[in-house]
Amino acid sequence: MKVSSCLFNSLLLSAGVGLLAPLAQAGEASEEVKPAPLELDTAFVTATGGATDLKDAPASVSVITREEIERQPVYDLNTLLRRVPGVTGGFGPVGEQSKIKLRGLDDKYTLILVDGKRVGSSADLSYRRDLARQDLNWISPNMIERIEIVRGPMSSLYGSDAMGGVINIITRKVSRTWTGSASTHITVPKDSDRGQTTQYSANASGPLTESLGLRLGANVTRRAADEVEARRDAQGDFMYDDGAGGSKNQSVNALLDWQINEEQSLSFEAVHGVERSWASKKTFGDWGDTIGVSFGPSRLTRDSYILSHTGDWSFGTTKLDAYLNKYRNDLDMGKANSEEKIVEGSLNLPFELLVDQRLTLGGQWKREELTNTNTLGTVPVDYQGTPVSGSTLKGDYSAAFIEDELFLLDNLSLTLGNRFDHSDKYGNHNSPRAYVVYHPHPDWTVRGGVSKGFRAPSLKEGSAGAATESGGRGCGSLRPLGYLTGSCWMAGNPNLMPETSTNKEIGLSFDHDGWEAGLTYFHTDFTDKIEYGPLGQYQGRWWTMLENVDKARTRGWEGTARVPLGDSVTWRTNATYMLESRNLSTGEDLISSPKLSAFSALDWQINDRLSTELSAQHVGKQRGLGNDFVQSYTTYDLTANLALTKWLTLNGGVQNLMDKDLRDGSTNFYVPGRAFFAGATTYF
């Protein structure tokens, strides 16, 4: 792909305006030019059954604010989430490295919510789960109010899939007056062989009547495919994975909110999204051109329908949700779709019995259905020689949970909780937790606790008829049995047990007059880890099968700091140091879990109109594919945000300012080079 000089110069000019224009006005009297903010709900809601202040949250939590989201082009939420302590991944548009992980655990152990409701999963609709994209970007960024991240198991509230933690995307409420915004962004890489990205989004909300409100949103993001000349590795062989495919994401969202009376509200929401992917193009010296690998589906569709009721009664508050999540992957041959029906509710009761308490009772019913003609029932026999037929799987799940927050003293609280999960296939499972928050001084907080986590096998993982054919990378465990080269079949297992974990953590934090600091130690023991184990040859095929064979342990430190350097400059930083992130059964490090990761930023509010940020992201040495290791590296970003008028904001800057490039022949780990971006948002 070639970038015209006109486009490139226009981009630099736009970024320059964002960086320099307000400096000429520095001596002028400033006026308030930013639009009036919408009414916000600032209480943290993800770590407990009821809303609580961030300082009192019974968990290790972080919040990404609306202001942080507006500072830079957010084509995918990974670029924001990787700034949070305990979070790794989120680099590049493709592969395992692009996925967000919490405290060294794979992305499948992180539960993704929007306004407290599951978004479902499209992972098993791809040919292989590890090639699927993470379901983080089905919503327009300018509809997001904040993102709440809980690190550590939250199965006591949310059940399966929350072993590593929870990412809860909170959207903006319907405004009491008609307001909205529209944004456009473009990012152009310095290297002409890398694809550029464009994004257009808009949202509006307001009242239809005194009791009825409407919110609408839409987003289109397109990344062009790379067109690269393949490089050679240290052995002189071509690097086939050097280059990212293209993608186009489209989504629309509509929310109708009815304020029935002062105590009750009812809302209906509909979401539709389409995600497309296509391969990169590579040139292999004298061999000529070829089409590279495309990560992600050629066309993935998501539809979601949500009915919600909330009540604020004299005795407490209630919430009831009923929703349907549907995914469809249009395959070249066959079909793949999934459906998730959920009904869940909670009752929040404040009362006094010896001490003030807040009791939350809740329950959930869920039905899942998966069809994939490419990976379910695709072979005549399973690994035992039993005939296989059918490409559809179903499962029913139910749960009940209880949580009690006891406010023992004005500065001491204890949270106790347990969730009871049941499925016909995997039986019963309890996930308890206990957490203490203590304020020895108004500026100091001590918190710590113990929690259990679990993840039930997915429908595909728990089926003997689920067989994915690997082209070779999934077959390495067969070599001791005589396997040399070629494909193998990777089978599910109906005898799997749920994976479980026990997390222990303790932390200390300080917060006074803009100064903040915190340090947390965490230790997670992970048992019954599900991995592919070697079986051998059956019916002329090489087989591996999922087994509960592994144990893992992750432990480390998370630290944060915020220091005001005068009235207009703030330095903030965080770091995660993994003391251990190891598969105890094999002795190997967990894939894509760096020893040290850190984020640091200088924020300068130059005047009422202009703010800038210089940030650095460090990723320590980590294991890549196979036995490869990716060396540590650091990238720098420079961004600026200019409130030009009350109705127009510009932003621009440079990503990977020093043009760090890992394409040196030692690894195929994808780190995009230097790129220039510019954008504009108009408010109405």
Side-chain angles (χ1 to χ4, degrees), residues 609-628:
R609 296 175 181 269
L610 176 66
S611 63
T612 63
E613 178 189 273
L614 175 64
S615 62
Q617 185 95 40
H618 175 80
V619 179
K621 181 179 179 180
Q622 58 186 303
R623 184 179 294 278
L625 293 172
N627 295 319
D628 294 336

Side-chain angles (χ1 to χ4, degrees), residues 73-128:
V74 184
Y75 303 122
D76 58 71
L77 298 185
N78 296 341
T79 57
L80 291 172
L81 292 167
R82 70 188 188 210
R83 297 170 164 224
V84 174
V87 175
T88 56
F91 282 88
V94 299
E96 189 68 20
Q97 73 213 46
S98 69
K99 298 183 181 181
I100 289 296
K101 305 172 181 64
L102 301 183
R103 290 182 172 175
L105 297 180
D106 290 345
D107 62 290
K108 63 183 177 181
Y109 303 110
T110 299
L111 178 63
I112 301 172
L113 309 172
V114 173
D115 293 325
K117 296 175 280 290
R118 294 169 179 256
V119 301
S121 175
S122 63
D124 285 337
L125 299 187
S126 296
Y127 193 66
R128 282 173 47 186

Side-chain angles (χ1 to χ4, degrees), residues 339-342 364-370 393-399 421-428 456-459:
E339 186 174 282
E340 184 180 71
K341 300 174 183 176
I342 297 178
Q364 181 190 76
W365 173 85
K366 180 174 68 171
R367 171 168 291 172
E368 292 180 335
E369 183 172 324
L370 171 68
L393 302 172
K394 298 180 180 180
D396 286 352
Y397 310 86
S398 57
D421 282 271
H422 171 79
S423 73
D424 294 337
K425 189 168 186 178
Y426 300 109
N428 304 326
S458 69
L459 291 176

Side-chain angles (χ1 to χ4, degrees), residues 482-554:
Y483 169 87
L484 295 177
T485 186
S487 67
C488 69
W489 289 92
M490 305 158 65
N493 185 350
N495 299 316
L496 289 176
M497 298 181 296
E499 302 170 283
T500 60
S501 69
T502 302
N503 178 73
K504 291 165 271 189
E505 65 182 41
I506 185 168
L508 175 67
S509 61
F510 171 80
D511 185 351
H512 176 75
D513 197 23
W515 292 73
E516 298 176 13
L519 186 64
T520 299
Y521 171 78
F522 63 90
H523 183 123
T524 301
D525 290 305
F526 190 29
T527 58
D528 292 325
K529 194 171 188 298
I530 297 175
E531 294 288 352
Y532 283 101
L535 285 177
Q537 271 199 321
Y538 293 88
Q539 302 290 328
R541 297 179 176 88
W542 286 101
W543 288 88
T544 65
M545 182 182 68
L546 288 172
E547 297 176 339
N548 293 105
V549 295
D550 287 343
K551 295 182 179 181
R553 182 165 58 232
T554 61

Side-chain angles (χ1 to χ4, degrees), residues 281-444:
K281 183 178 180 181
K282 299 182 178 65
T283 302
F284 294 91
D286 296 335
W287 296 3
D289 296 343
T290 186
I291 299 299
V293 177
S294 173
F295 289 83
S298 57
R299 189 178 190 274
L300 176 67
T301 303
R302 177 190 177 227
D303 291 290
S304 186
Y305 307 96
I306 305 165
L307 184 65
S308 298
H309 178 273
T310 59
D312 189 354
W313 318 97
S314 59
F315 55 85
T317 59
T318 58
K319 183 174 175 57
L320 181 64
D321 299 313
Y323 52 103
L324 169 67
N325 294 320
K326 300 176 68 175
Y327 287 91
R328 186 181 74 251
N329 187 4
D330 295 337
L331 305 173
D332 293 335
M333 298 180 61
K335 63 177 181 177
N337 54 68
S338 66
E339 186 174 282
E340 184 180 71
K341 300 174 183 176
I342 297 178
V343 178
E344 56 191 12
S346 63
L347 168 64
N348 197 274
L349 296 170
F351 67 97
E352 182 178 355
L353 180 61
L354 301 180
V355 297
D356 288 337
Q357 301 183 51
R358 182 168 60 183
L359 182 69
T360 302
L361 303 171
Q364 181 190 76
W365 173 85
K366 180 174 68 171
R367 171 168 291 172
E368 292 180 335
E369 183 172 324
L370 171 68
T371 299
N372 192 332
T373 57
N374 269 14
T375 61
L376 301 178
T378 56
V379 292
V381 295
D382 65 15
Y383 63 93
Q384 294 176 327
T386 305
V388 170
S389 62
S391 57
T392 298
L393 302 172
K394 298 180 180 180
D396 286 352
Y397 310 86
S398 57
F401 66 87
I402 181 172
E403 180 181 84
D404 193 7
E405 296 174 81
L406 297 94
F407 305 99
L408 305 177
L409 299 171
D410 290 341
N411 61 347
L412 177 64
S413 64
L414 170 65
T415 300
L416 301 173
N418 184 60
R419 178 174 171 122
F420 174 81
D421 282 271
H422 171 79
S423 73
D424 294 337
K425 189 168 186 178
Y426 300 109
N428 304 326
H429 193 89
N430 285 287
S431 302
R433 79 160 170 159
Y435 210 96
V436 174
V437 179
Y438 175 51
H439 301 288
H441 182 275
D443 298 337
W444 291 90

